[in-house]
Amino acid sequence: CDLYPCLPAAALGTLDFSLLYDQENNALHCTISKAKGLKPMDHNGLADPYVKLHLLPGASKANKLRTKTLRNTLNPTWNETLTYYGITDEDMIRKTLRISVCDEDKFRHNEFIGETRVPLKKLKPNHTKTFSICLEKQLPVDKAEEKSLEERGRILISLKYSSQKQGLLVGIVRCAHLAAMDANGYSDPYVKTFMAVAVLDPMVVAVASGHLEFCYEIKHGDLAKKTLEVTVWDYDIGKSNDFIGGVVLGINAKGERLKHWFDCLKNKDKRIERWHTLTNELPGAMLSD
């Protein structure tokens, strides 16, 4: 448990919460318990607080989660668990969880009360860590870094080279925290896959375990020279579809994307699933509909 005594000058309040990284399911569970002694924000000497989560770096709204708002209190109890799906070991090394407490205002912009930040590398996999922390004033965010690393959500992809079919099976298992593209704050997503080789169109071979699977007929030895592009789009009636995000797997990729590709090449006939981050960069070989 992390306990920090509040200084009198930092009368923003304290926040109790716990974090759990479920390594097997690639999920980060954030349980927001309660706050005490929040700074009054309204004319009645109270506030309408809610908690907002944001993974840094990562500028997209898809990266943000929030609790419900509790009315007229400086000592709110939420007991609410918010979950990020598609969190990888790589994320746990390089990302920081920003937790902000804000005051909801119906007639003006919501007001910031205080925040705290937790580097995810402080967490042990599959072990719940509890915090009771004094809120701090708003800390600056590196806008240049945010923009360059903008994330548009996560996608769980399965790869398997099938000796029987003499081809690469690409499964789209699920997406999480996609960037909202429509006015209602949601999207109507669909996924396209593309193998960067001449005259190579995928064939839908099955809807396995509730997800779509595509097959690219290709020799195993040729895979090392190819790349796979996966893009997620927002379907719009009567106008061009919006690009949500994409990911490229292959020999020129890095990190988890390269490891996933190598693991597929090394393990014939074995389905390997990995979460990947969608970015705002549109892969060059993909054309929108």
Side-chain angles (χ1 to χ4, degrees):
C1 177
D2 281 9
L3 292 168
Y4 298 105
C6 282
L7 298 174
L12 301 175
T14 61
L15 181 67
D16 293 355
F17 61 95
S18 63
L19 302 176
L20 170 63
Y21 174 46
D22 179 352
Q23 191 175 38
E24 182 180 354
N25 294 302
N26 295 105
L28 176 64
H29 302 291
C30 313
T31 300
I32 307 301
S33 301
K34 61 185 178 181
K36 292 181 181 177
L38 294 179
K39 179 182 176 182
M41 303 297 288
D42 299 337
H43 294 303
N44 61 4
L46 299 172
D48 301 314
Y50 66 92
V51 176
K52 181 170 62 176
L53 305 182
H54 184 188
L55 279 175
L56 301 172
S60 172
K61 289 182 180 179
N63 215 343
K64 298 174 183 177
L65 303 175
R66 61 165 285 176
T67 67
K68 59 181 178 290
T69 300
L70 298 180
R71 302 291 175 186
N72 298 318
T73 179
L74 299 180
N75 301 290
T77 298
W78 290 280
N79 287 332
E80 196 171 335
T81 298
L82 305 174
T83 300
Y84 282 103
Y85 295 98
I87 299 298
T88 64
D89 291 344
E90 190 176 15
D91 291 324
M92 296 301 294
I93 294 171
R94 71 182 186 91
K95 284 190 175 289
T96 293
L97 180 66
R98 179 189 189 187
I99 305 177
S100 307
V101 181
C102 302
D103 172 59
E104 185 174 295
D105 196 314
K106 291 183 178 179
F107 305 105
R108 297 180 297 172
H109 288 298
N110 295 341
E111 295 181 289
F112 174 86
I113 297 176
E115 72 167 50
T116 187
R117 300 188 186 185
V118 180
L120 296 185
K121 62 186 178 183
K122 293 180 70 173
L123 306 180
K124 294 180 181 178
N126 309 312
H127 177 76
T128 300
K129 187 172 179 64
T130 302
F131 299 82
S132 183
I133 290 183
C134 290
L135 296 171
E136 301 177 68
K137 294 180 179 179
Q138 196 160 13
L139 300 169
V141 174
D142 187 333
K143 296 296 183 184
E145 182 184 50
E146 288 288 271
K147 189 172 181 64
S148 66
L149 292 169
E150 183 177 348
E151 297 180 3
R152 312 303 296 273
R154 298 293 169 100
I155 187 168
L156 181 56
I157 299 172
S158 70
L159 298 178
K160 183 177 89 169
Y161 186 82
S162 171
S163 300
Q164 180 183 2
K165 296 182 181 296
Q166 288 291 296
L168 177 68
L169 299 181
V170 180
I172 307 302
V173 183
R174 67 174 295 187
C175 292
H177 311 296
L178 295 180
M181 306 301 289
D182 297 339
N184 62 4
Y186 294 94
S187 296
D188 304 304
Y190 68 95
V191 176
K192 294 198 293 185
T193 65
F194 180 87
M195 181 74 79
V197 290
V199 198
L200 238 191
D201 293 320
M203 180 171 56
V204 178
V205 292
V207 179
S209 304
H211 68 268
L212 210 57
E213 199 166 71
F214 303 87
C215 180
Y216 289 94
E217 291 185 5
I218 185 172
K219 293 178 181 179
H220 182 266
D222 291 339
L223 275 180
K225 299 174 285 185
K226 309 304 176 187
T227 59
L228 174 72
E229 298 174 355
V230 179
T231 53
V232 182
W233 299 78
D234 172 48
Y235 177 72
D236 280 323
I237 298 175
K239 57 180 182 177
S240 297
N241 297 329
D242 296 319
F243 174 68
I244 296 177
V247 62
V248 178
L249 307 178
I251 201 71
N252 294 319
K254 296 179 180 178
E256 291 288 331
R257 294 168 295 149
L258 177 61
K259 187 175 186 301
H260 194 182
W261 193 253
F262 268 135
D263 287 347
C264 172
L265 294 179
K266 290 187 294 183
N267 298 278
K268 278 187 181 181
D269 300 309
K270 180 180 179 182
R271 179 175 282 104
I272 299 171
E273 291 186 359
R274 294 279 192 280
W275 281 97
H276 297 286
T277 300
L278 296 171
T279 69
N280 55 335
E281 292 183 353
L282 180 63
M286 292 299 299
L287 300 173
S288 73
D289 290 343

